[in-house]
Amino acid sequence: MFDPEIAEIRYGTGLSSSARAPSSVQAMLDGLSSPDRMAERFPIESFDSFAPRVRQFTQARREARKQAGTEAGKAADKTRKKIASDAREAYGTFFRNTLLRRIHTETGLRERLAFFWADHFTAYANSSIIKWATSPYIETAIRPHIGGTFEDLLISAVTHPLMLNFLDQNTSVGPNSVAAQKAKARGRVKGLNENLAREVLELHTLGVNGPYTQDDVRNLAELFAGLGYTNKGVFRFVKNNGEPGAETILGKSYGGKTPALQDIHDALRDLARHPSTAQHIAEKLARHFVSDTPDPALVNAMASAYQDTNGDLVAVYDAMLSHPSAWQTEAENIKQPIDFMATTLRALEIDQAYLMRSKTRELRNLLYAPLQVMGQSWEKPIGPDGWPEENTHWATPQFMAARLQWALAVPQALRRTLPDPRDFARAALGNRLTPEVRFAAEAAENRWEGIALVLSSPAFQRQ
């Protein structure tokens, strides 16, 4: 069943003449536990490293406002702008290094899974400089756990400061909490926010059709009260915000008289081990990697592996990659824009030195902005449910035209000398090279048109 080319195209970051394809399913799985060489070679700072920027920015902004019109205020505002500029530049580096990891990796499954789980646990901010911290969130909360258990990944993502910011958890307090009572005594109102609880049940664990009710959402929200973060971007649990007493979720009671973080962890672990979560995660993985309508037997095999191992993710990946449906020769899924762009750069073997020395503005014009036109703003999904998986979302005339325009213009801007289209077609498509694409590559009037024809072909557009 195993096919190294399908492994690279469907489960990796595309074919490359300079990178070895995996030799077996076991080699693909072993890559998840091997040293993370791409993270070492193309580093992205951790959220803990990024967080001081948030604190420094907040302090400088506060000082600038406090002393507005004075020399001290002007100096503080200058500092604020410099911190923001540095964070914006770092964001460009995160984008560049994310692409470089995909271009040069020999463990493509790791890069694809990092994207999948980051999308599953979508989180981003829209204000201050924390809006540039999504890559550090992924690097800290997601990437280290993609080869572990789902419950550890769930806890890591759900309790992360960026997730709490994204879903407004910092404003949530239990209706009978100490904080709520104090606010009431001062004539103020502090209330419960159900955003995080709803997304955990609906998107992260049980699924939109899962066996939960509004009461479960409400009780989980009360249990979550107390989760928050400081103005320095550091996680904290505030007992005074927590709802006293036990909360019942899916018929099980959590907590007691005093709110505690451990009770939240216990509830998340139980949700992670629920059969509906196993089914939801299995189906979502199968849809992402194999087909919009995956073989039910494939999904069931993955869900069974999940339940048998209490959510061991490598066991789930193994069940997927060991099933015949995973290696069907017909490619059904259309590449999402980030996959289309990254596999193009990999197939073209874009020089690392070129991307490393490229200015942020150049990267924006050639790569970042075109992604937006193709319908996929980098690290900014449409909503908390992440990017749509359906082919129908991506295969619109507008989005496909944007891909063609990019394929015609950008490769020649990224490489001084483009490869012969005939050679490129063989390198980029391998056994997927059809007579029609071969003819188009041979008949092209020039190299840049020939490359664009290969990139625009259904054989390259699908995984």
Side-chain angles (χ1 to χ4, degrees):
M1 295 183 294
F2 176 82
D3 183 298
E5 288 191 354
I6 293 178
E8 285 286 73
I9 295 171
R10 186 171 298 158
Y11 302 103
T13 57
L15 295 179
S16 169
S17 299
S18 60
R20 292 176 301 176
S23 58
S24 64
V25 167
Q26 191 57 52
M28 296 172 70
L29 298 174
D30 288 345
L32 300 177
S33 59
S34 64
D36 194 346
R37 302 194 188 284
M38 288 299 99
E40 296 171 3
R41 186 174 171 185
F42 306 112
I44 292 173
E45 65 185 81
S46 69
F47 192 85
D48 290 342
S49 296
F50 190 94
R53 300 177 191 266
V54 179
R55 172 176 53 81
Q56 293 161 8
F57 179 87
T58 302
Q59 289 175 341
R61 182 175 59 184
R62 184 185 301 116
E63 192 67 16
R65 290 173 176 173
K66 181 180 179 181
Q67 303 197 51
T70 68
E71 290 302 317
K74 293 177 182 178
D77 195 49
K78 184 177 180 180
T79 298
R80 176 191 64 82
K81 291 178 180 178
K82 178 64 166 60
I83 295 169
S85 176
D86 289 347
R88 190 184 304 112
E89 189 68 24
Y91 182 73
T93 299
F94 304 156
F95 177 61
R96 176 195 294 112
N97 284 358
T98 297
L99 289 174
L100 284 168
R101 289 177 180 186
R102 289 192 172 215
I103 293 170
H104 294 285
T105 186
E106 291 188 352
T107 55
L109 181 61
R110 173 183 268 145
E111 304 307 323
R112 292 287 306 286
L113 286 169
F115 174 85
F116 170 84
W117 288 117
D119 187 63
H120 182 77
F121 292 108
T122 287
Y124 55 87
N126 290 313
S127 61
S128 186
I129 65 169
I130 199 173
K131 65 186 177 184
W132 293 308
T134 300
S135 285
Y137 154 73
I138 295 169
E139 201 72 4
T140 302
I142 305 295
R143 194 175 179 97
H145 298 288
I146 60 176
T149 64
F150 180 73
E151 59 191 65
D152 287 342
L153 174 58
L154 176 68
I155 291 171
S156 177
V158 168
T159 62
H160 192 275
L162 191 68
M163 180 68 76
L164 303 179
N165 176 288
F166 178 56
L167 295 175
D168 303 314
Q169 180 61 31
N170 220 34
T171 64
S172 184
V173 300
N176 298 301
S177 66
V178 173
Q181 297 304 317
K182 287 183 177 180
K184 184 177 181 181
R186 296 193 299 268
R188 299 171 58 192
V189 177
K190 285 192 173 184
L192 194 67
N193 190 308
E194 297 182 356
N195 289 354
L196 181 64
R198 188 173 304 281
E199 306 309 356
V200 165
L201 293 172
E202 182 176 303
L203 303 179
H204 300 158
T205 59
L206 305 177
V208 66
N209 296 315
Y212 63 91
T213 66
Q214 174 56 33
D215 285 343
D216 293 314
V217 173
R218 174 78 181 187
N219 279 279
L220 187 59
E222 291 183 352
L223 188 67
F224 281 168
L227 291 177
Y229 55 92
T230 69
N231 58 9
K232 299 177 182 179
V234 177
F235 171 82
R236 66 174 178 176
F237 180 75
V238 185
K239 288 185 179 180
N240 283 355
N241 289 353
E243 179 72 359
E247 309 298 337
T248 301
I249 299 106
L250 301 185
K252 184 173 180 178
S253 180
Y254 299 90
K257 183 176 181 181
T258 304
L261 181 60
Q262 185 58 50
D263 297 324
I264 295 173
H265 286 186
D266 290 344
L268 288 173
R269 292 190 187 281
D270 285 341
L271 287 171
R273 297 187 181 197
H274 196 281
S276 292
T277 300
Q279 192 71 20
H280 176 55
I281 297 302
E283 183 173 332
K284 191 168 182 180
L285 275 164
R287 290 180 63 214
H288 182 80
F289 283 101
V290 182
S291 169
D292 281 355
T293 54
D295 180 355
L298 169 64
V299 175
N300 290 338
M302 294 168 66
S304 294
Y306 185 110
Q307 288 185 263
D308 291 344
T309 62
N310 287 325
D312 183 292
L313 293 175
V314 174
V316 179
Y317 309 148
D318 190 7
M320 176 173 67
L321 296 172
S322 299
H323 196 276
S325 295
W327 302 99
Q328 60 191 25
T329 55
E330 182 179 356
E332 295 190 12
N333 280 353
I334 293 176
K335 294 177 181 178
Q336 293 187 19
I338 185 65
D339 295 315
F340 167 65
M341 182 174 288
T343 54
T344 296
L345 300 179
R346 182 174 170 89
L348 285 169
E349 299 183 323
I350 296 303
D351 184 43
Q352 171 186 339
Y354 174 83
L355 286 185
M356 293 296 284
R357 67 174 179 265
S358 297
K359 295 181 179 179
T360 299
R361 180 177 297 178
E362 187 175 10
L363 289 175
R364 174 175 291 277
N365 291 338
L366 295 178
L367 303 173
Y368 184 91
L371 268 182
Q372 293 178 310
V373 181
M374 294 178 200
Q376 192 170 42
S377 299
W378 188 58
E379 296 184 339
K380 291 291 193 297
I382 300 170
D385 53 346
W387 294 108
E389 295 287 354
E390 297 81 9
N391 286 342
T392 53
H393 177 85
W394 302 109
T396 67
Q398 177 185 353
F399 290 162
M400 298 309 288
R403 296 189 189 206
L404 176 58
Q405 292 169 358
W406 184 84
L408 282 166
V410 174
Q412 59 184 318
L414 295 173
R415 275 194 61 162
R416 180 170 297 179
T417 303
L418 289 173
D420 186 303
R422 295 166 294 184
D423 296 333
F424 177 75
R426 288 190 291 270
L429 295 174
N431 292 329
R432 286 191 181 183
L433 179 57
T434 63
E436 293 80 7
V437 177
R438 181 184 293 110
F439 175 80
E442 292 174 348
E445 293 185 2
N446 51 57
R447 293 192 171 196
W448 58 271
E449 283 188 356
I451 297 294
L453 288 170
V454 174
L455 296 177
S456 302
S457 68
F460 189 84
Q461 292 283 339
R462 291 182 179 270
Q463 289 178 317

